[in-house]
Each structure stands twice: as C-alpha cells, then as structure tokens.
Amino acid sequence: MTVSVAPSVATGSLLSQPRLEITGGLPLAGDIRVSGAKNSALVLMAACLLTRDTLRLRNVPPLTDITAMSEILAALGVRVQRGGDTIDLDGDQITQAAPPYELVNSLRASFFCIGPLLARMGMAQVPLPGGCQIGTRPVVEHVKGLKALGAQVTIEHGVVTAVVPGRSHRLTGGHIHLDCPSVGATETLMMAAALADGETTIDNAAQEPEVIDLARLLIAMGAKIRGAGSPTITIIGVERLHGADYAVIPDRIEAGTFLLAGAITRSLLRVAPVIPEHLGAVLTKLEEAGCTFEFDDSGVTINARQIKAVDLRTQPFPGFPTDLQAPFMSLLATATGTSMIVENIFENRLQHVAELQRMGASIRMQGNTAFIEGVAQLSGAPVQGTDLRASAAMVLAGLAANGTTTVRGLEFLDRGYADLEGKLNAVGADIRRLYEEPGAKMN
Ligand code: UD1
C-alpha cells in the first residue's frame, strides 16, 4: 500500500518532513526499469542554447533537477515543452545570457550553460554555483578552458562574466590541457568549441559515458568532434548547428543502484535497459563480492547469495564511480569480512557513514578512507540522507535491515531517482512515502 498525503504546511515541523518508511528483509524479484541518465540529460538540455532550431530529447527522466534545468533555460528565453519523457527545447528567441542566481544555485549543473551561451551570444554572465553537500566543486578548469578559446573572463561579486572580444564575437579554437579530468569542464568546453573558429583539442578530458553522449548529440546537430571517450578530444568548430531528435542513454548510476538493491537483498533481479560497458568497474566489484550476472539483449540479471568483503577506490571513469560509493558501502556493511573504501573525488562524501552506523553498521574512518566490517544484520532506524547518493544508500540499507527504517532528506533523492519507491515496490519491496507526523491519524 502507498500512503501519499499532502504535507502539513501549518505545522512546519521537522517531524512532518516527507519520508520513506521501509520495511526491510524482503527479497526482490522480477524486472526493474532504468530511466534516462540524469547527468546526460542535464547537459544535453544545455546544448539547445547552441542552435536556433528545436532540439527534441527523448528518454528524459522525470526528476526535479530536470525541472530546475527547464526553468533556467526558460529564464534565458528557451521555449520548453515537456510531454512524458520527451522534451522539446526551442532556443530561437534567446533573450538573456545571464541566468538568475537563485536558479543556478539550486542546480550546480546549470553552470555548464556558460559554454554554449558564450559560443552563441558572445557573452555570458553566470553566478558561481558555490559548493554543495559533497564538497567545494570548483569551476577553475571551465574558466581556464574558456580563456584558452579567447574569452575574457572576470569573476566579481560571485558572478562569472565571460566575453568574446572583437567584432565577430566568435570563440577561437585552441589547445586546452585540463589539470583534472573534470566532467563538467569537458562538457562545457566541448559545447563552446563546437561553434568556435578553428580546431580545439582538450587533453586529459573526462572519459565518462555522459561526455560521449554529449558528443553524439552535438555530432547529430552538425558538430565535428572526434575522440570523445578517450583522454584527447578534437573539435573542429562549425559556423552553425541545427536541431536534432536524440534519445538519452540509460542512467548507469540508477542501474548500479538497482544492482546493489538486488545484491543487498541477496536476490535475483533483472535490471534493464543497461549498457554493460558503462558499468564495468561496478560489475567487476560486485563479481569480486560474489555476485554472478547473466546478460541479455538489453539488460543484466544479478544473482546474489553470499557477499564477501571487497576494497575499492573511487576514480574518474572507467574507474569506480564516486556516485555509487555510498550505495556500495551499504552493501559492504552486510558483507562477510572487512572492506576498505577510499573516496578520491570529493572531499566531503562520507557523511552517510554516521547514518549507516545508526543502523548497526561497523565502520571506522581515517581521513577519506572507510573500513567497513560487515555485520550479520543491519537494524532499521530513523536516518537522514545527506546528499542524493547518500539518500539512495539509506534506502538500500533499509531494504536489508530488520524492522522499519525511516529515511528523511527526500529532496535530495527526488533530484536523481525517478519514483524509486514505486520501482522497488514493483519488484517486492515495501516502501511507503509519508508526509504525516508519526502517530497522526490518516484518512
Ligand atoms: C559530475 C556529475 C557528478 C559526479 C562527478 C564526478 C553531473 C551533472 N554531475 O559532476 O554526479 O559525481 O561528475 O564523476 O554530470 N575539479 C577541480 N577543478 C575544476 C572542476 C573539478 O578541481 O575546475 C575537481 C572536483 O573538485 C572533483 C573532481 O574534479 O574533485 C571531479 O569533478 P567534476 O568531474 O568536475 O564533477 P562535475 O562535473 O561537477
């Protein structure tokens, strides 16, 4: 049964925050469907700023982050139409090159608009997005790269202003070496270079599947790009790009979360659609932990019985993704033996440790390293998701724990998981979304 009642605005009490109530210990079985990739969809949406034609994106997940990006693009003058999982973006009438702070601050990925705005309008003024729950998240590499393409960039009063000098207002191709393979910087610079005059190379580029997805979309729009998915990307600028009709790749992080849901409940679960190469490091670690897999045309079935301890370190793709570090830790909290997880990408991405400890996990911390001694049984408890993926980790732990787990912090979860409880309930979980204060009467 799903209970879904409007929140009590009158009380405003912490107790009335929406929450998930999970009854743990149930095995999962059947098929679970993966939505389109959030991190791809967000950047592909920004690419609409590069053309006057309509960009149609399919397989866009219904998430609050996508709504936030739609609002930002609309504030710039883009006509946005959403219907089901399709979104039409018409950037013919862009009136603004300066998205408002309130909107940019609510969605870090919106900073990536600076590249296409600059390429199309010759100027862009975007507030610095600031840090977030998992770390400081600088944009130095984005700015350095835009300068290499001929932009003059100043940062004052928390706003980045980028201008292309000269009459043509056109960026010029250049050579960019990223100090770290930043996903956002690679994407920003690929979009900026797509309309620049001449050839651009990006060295030490990010190799994430979302970067390849963006390159494919830009190529479908008429761009000339090669090497996406390798450390060196070459872009030969064109004068204009046209519209396209393009489907977003499946979300590898959501797929990984579902595989982990299968593993933590020791179940047989089919996850689809997936692109197995996008999940390489995750599948390898799950295999090391004792899971087996069967692949078919579009999906993968995980079979999990006993889980053994494994060590892992987060790394840029094709290494183990930082976005699955917290969910994987929930699994290892139930493994036989002691595991070690090193978080190398973000400096503040181990806040879920304290919450897992509330559920009986045995975890010791040393800097950015967690030593996890598996326990025979987690116990249900009230917990708080401290960021998007930490919230998912709490849900996974709740599936395996005995008794009831209450997860708060759903504003994070809803940014990146489309109907997580609905999808898990359809394969046998018991998760209810509640808005009422505990003990309040529900009609
Ligand atoms: C993207 C993903 C996010 C994921 C992350 C790493 C989106 C919308 N978000 O974020 O889910 O966790 O990749 O896979 O796609 N860095 C610098 N200087 C910079 C830029 C980044 O030092 O100028 C550092 C960051 O502090 C971090 C690392 O590089 O340590 C990775 O960041 P980056 O790849 O830029 O992450 P995002 O693109 O913000």
Side-chain angles (χ1 to χ4, degrees):
M1 183 186 65
T2 305
V3 179
S4 182
V5 191
S8 153
V9 180
T11 63
S13 151
L14 275 180
L15 287 171
S16 63
Q17 275 181 8
R19 62 198 185 279
L20 294 181
E21 204 171 88
I22 306 168
T23 305
L26 299 170
L28 306 181
D31 271 48
I32 191 160
R33 200 183 74 79
V34 177
S35 299
K38 168 182 85 86
N39 287 350
S40 252
L42 288 172
V43 69
L44 300 194
M45 285 172 76
C48 81
L49 296 167
L50 290 165
T51 176
R52 301 187 78 111
D53 298 346
T54 300
L55 174 62
R56 169 165 288 185
L57 296 175
R58 299 175 194 270
N59 200 28
V60 176
L63 299 169
T64 54
D65 266 8
I66 299 292
T67 307
M69 191 61 158
S70 302
E71 282 173 12
I72 288 161
L73 293 172
L76 297 173
V78 175
R79 277 201 301 269
V80 183
Q81 272 195 317
R82 269 171 95 173
D85 63 1
T86 298
I87 190 161
D88 284 345
L89 301 159
D90 174 354
D92 185 35
Q93 307 279 334
I94 296 183
T95 47
Q96 274 282 338
Y101 169 78
E102 291 72 19
L103 294 179
V104 172
N105 192 45
S106 74
L107 179 68
R108 274 197 49 84
S110 63
F111 185 80
F112 308 165
C113 287
I114 195 168
L117 272 178
L118 187 62
R120 165 97 175 265
M121 314 278 283
M123 81 88 71
Q125 206 164 39
V126 184
L128 277 171
C132 70
Q133 290 75 23
I134 58 176
T136 50
R137 312 198 68 173
V139 289
V140 191
E141 298 301 317
H142 311 54
V143 169
K144 207 179 71 182
L146 293 174
K147 284 183 178 167
L149 299 181
Q152 286 173 351
V153 186
T154 49
I155 305 179
E156 263 178 7
H157 309 298
V159 177
V160 182
T161 303
V163 180
V164 188
R167 282 211 181 154
S168 73
H169 294 304
R170 193 170 175 202
L171 290 164
T172 322
H175 180 249
I176 300 164
H177 180 92
L178 297 179
D179 284 342
C180 64
S182 158
V183 178
T186 304
E187 293 168 341
T188 299
L189 298 170
M190 255 166 59
M191 288 189 281
L195 286 179
D197 185 10
E199 184 173 310
T200 298
T201 49
I202 308 175
D203 279 338
N204 198 25
Q207 300 171 56
E208 268 68 1
E210 294 75 18
V211 170
I212 304 177
D213 210 24
L214 175 63
R216 289 212 172 116
L217 169 70
L218 294 173
I219 291 167
M221 293 168 72
K224 293 187 179 155
I225 301 175
R226 53 171 202 273
S230 80
T232 302
I233 303 178
T234 306
I235 304 125
I236 298 167
V238 295
E239 276 188 32
R240 62 181 53 80
L241 294 173
H242 50 74
D245 184 334
Y246 189 84
V248 178
I249 51 170
D251 195 311
R252 65 193 167 102
I253 305 301
E254 190 194 24
T257 305
F258 292 155
L259 289 173
L260 286 163
I264 203 167
T265 54
R266 313 295 192 258
S267 301
L268 188 73
L269 187 67
R270 179 173 178 269
V271 180
V274 297
I275 300 175
E277 306 86 77
H278 293 178
L279 284 161
V282 181
L283 293 171
T284 304
K285 284 294 157 190
L286 281 170
E287 222 159 36
E288 233 179 85
C291 302
T292 57
F293 300 101
E294 241 178 73
F295 296 90
D296 56 59
D297 279 356
S298 59
V300 53
T301 303
I302 182 167
N303 190 356
R305 292 200 187 92
Q306 285 208 323
I307 298 293
K308 297 184 295 235
V310 296
D311 293 344
L312 64 89
R313 320 168 170 266
T314 62
Q315 281 167 339
F317 192 86
F320 189 92
T322 174
D323 286 351
L324 283 174
Q325 177 260 111
F328 214 104
M329 191 180 296
S330 294
L331 173 67
L332 295 179
T334 70
T336 307
T338 302
S339 309
M340 181 183 78
I341 291 186
V342 185
E343 172 55 53
N344 284 318
I345 307 292
F346 291 111
E347 68 272 21
N348 195 22
R349 209 172 202 182
L350 287 164
Q351 291 180 67
H352 44 280
V353 168
E355 299 301 303
L356 284 173
Q357 282 167 336
R358 291 175 57 76
M359 298 180 70
S362 172
I363 306 174
R364 197 164 48 79
M365 297 279 300
Q366 213 170 68
N368 64 345
T369 304
F371 299 92
I372 307 120
E373 195 187 328
V375 293
Q377 179 72 63
L378 291 173
S379 77
V383 286
Q384 178 81 36
T386 46
D387 65 68
L388 165 57
R389 307 303 171 185
S391 304
M394 294 304 119
V395 173
L396 293 186
L399 292 177
N402 64 18
T404 303
T405 297
T406 311
V407 182
R408 288 187 168 76
L410 303 190
E411 66 279 16
F412 298 121
L413 195 72
D414 295 340
R415 293 182 59 174
Y417 290 92
D419 189 21
L420 183 63
E421 69 267 29
K423 289 184 181 188
L424 288 169
N425 285 344
V427 291
D430 180 354
I431 308 178
R432 298 186 301 161
R433 184 174 285 241
L434 303 174
Y435 297 99
E436 293 286 321
E437 291 187 27
K441 201 172 162 213
M442 278 183 266
N443 295 311

